[in-house]
Amino acid sequence: MTEQANIINDLKRSKCICHEVEATPETINLIKKRFRDQYRATPMLIKHMQVVLVFNDPSITSQETLNKFKKDIEVFRDDLSKMSAFLIGCKGLIPPIAEAINLKVIKDIVEQPPIAQKHVVTEEPKAPIAEVETSKTQSTRKLRIINRSIRTGESIIEDGLTDILIVGDIKAGSEVATSGSITCTGQIAGVAHAGVGCGNAVINAQSLDSEIVSIKGVFVPNADIPEAVRRQPTCVVLNEENEKIEFINGKVS
């Protein structure tokens, strides 16, 4: 249970589902509408999202404005909760002002990518553990093998720098998340988050038509998958120099 909590926290901190929005009393209703519209269009993109309100307007510190804005923020918090998203805090306010409107001042999170070694562990209870790669560090990199498809509505969440091999499909409406790489011998039609909190990861699929793919929090929704690789054998990688996802067509010509 602890390991799952850790990976979920890393996901919430990642760029794909941690969203900063500039907030003023005049714009909070527009922000609420934007989230509602996005949720209706792509609910999986909002699920688990953490929202941070950024305050750049000093007029918020007046008592009259605070009293009104506090109510607006509570309504916004409730709306996000109904969409399985969370208002976690704010930036740009001193703690006494933030506390007056029930917000916590948060700081930027600096990720520490782990250095790892590998060994293989299958999903089967009696499967052998094979040594793949060793290093002098105490952390380990594992491979979880799942000999079935991931069903609609199912979530597979792994922690501890684990690569996942799925012998089957990732069905639409399902989700796979891990700090390592994801390899799918069938079609990825659901959501695939790789490299959570790490970045040293790729996503491989025999057929790619995913709702969302992301590596280290940099995400691409289905509409932005290039037609040249859609429903083709594809390797998804992160170009860390420009922080953009790249798609490599693995089809043999």
Side-chain angles (χ1 to χ4, degrees), residues 133-150:
E133 181 181 333
T134 61
S135 72
K136 294 182 180 180
T137 62
Q138 294 182 348
S139 57
T140 59
R141 184 161 186 153
K142 300 178 182 180
L143 173 63
R144 179 181 178 185
I145 302 174
I146 302 176
N147 291 301
R148 60 178 178 83
S149 294
I150 310 304

Side-chain angles (χ1 to χ4, degrees), residues 35 91 154 169 173-174 236 249:
F35 275 91
K91 294 181 179 180
E154 184 179 5
D169 301 323
S174 67
V236 184
N249 192 321

Side-chain angles (χ1 to χ4, degrees), residues 8 12 17 35 39 43-51 76-87:
I8 289 171
K12 288 176 180 176
I17 53 178
F35 275 91
Y39 182 71
M44 293 295 290
L45 192 60
I46 300 296
K47 185 179 179 183
H48 301 315
M49 179 181 284
Q50 288 195 340
V51 178
F76 182 44
R77 192 194 306 271
D78 291 342
D79 281 358
L80 288 177
S81 178
K82 293 173 184 176
M83 295 182 279
S84 298
F86 309 94
L87 176 58

Side-chain angles (χ1 to χ4, degrees), residues 21-38 69 72 76 79:
V21 293
E22 185 170 350
T24 68
E26 292 74 26
T27 62
I28 193 70
N29 287 327
L30 295 176
I31 294 170
K32 286 191 294 184
K33 183 179 184 301
R34 185 176 72 184
F35 275 91
R36 288 173 186 160
D37 291 345
Q38 183 66 66
F69 204 28
D72 292 338
F76 182 44
D79 281 358

Side-chain angles (χ1 to χ4, degrees), residues 66 70 74 90 93-105:
L66 278 178
K70 181 178 179 180
E74 288 304 319
C90 68
L93 296 179
I94 61 175
I97 300 298
E99 290 172 7
I101 53 177
N102 295 331
L103 289 175
K104 177 182 177 182
V105 177

